[in-house]
Amino acid sequence: MSSEAVVAQFNIHDAKTNLSRIIDRVEHGEEIIISRAGTPVAKVIPLHPRIKRAGRGSLTGQLTVSDDWDSPAVNDSIADDFGLTQ
């Protein structure tokens, strides 16, 4: 959020009363300030969702691997690239 944006502020009592509404607003990208006696004490911000993977095999059909991917020649070439000549 830009520093120029107006951030909603709730006192602790109102925050407890309206927690579900506050969470809904935060889920939609809004930031909320919680204050005690008019002094801001906490900020509720949205978390960025983690990448959801389908589990093992989630890249099936998206990668192409050559038939010789694990041949001694390819392994030697990779070792050379990393300075691990045998």
Side-chain angles (χ1 to χ4, degrees):
M1 275 187 118
S2 82
S3 59
E4 298 172 8
V6 176
V7 178
Q9 188 167 328
F10 290 83
N11 66 42
I12 290 176
H13 174 75
D14 289 338
K16 288 192 298 187
T17 302
N18 295 297
L19 182 60
S20 293
R21 289 185 190 111
I22 290 170
I23 297 300
D24 186 56
R25 288 171 67 170
V26 169
E27 285 178 326
H28 287 90
E30 207 172 328
E31 294 183 359
I32 306 289
I33 300 292
I34 309 295
S35 57
R36 175 180 287 139
T39 302
V41 294
K43 182 188 281 189
V44 184
I45 62 170
L47 292 176
H48 299 289
R50 294 184 177 175
I51 297 172
K52 295 180 182 176
R53 300 258 187 228
R56 295 178 74 91
S58 64
L59 294 176
T60 299
Q62 297 181 38
L63 301 175
T64 304
V65 180
S66 65
D67 292 335
D68 68 343
W69 69 272
D70 196 27
S71 71
V74 171
N75 289 337
D76 290 343
S77 175
I78 292 171
D80 287 342
D81 289 343
F82 286 93
L84 304 171
T85 55
Q86 299 168 341

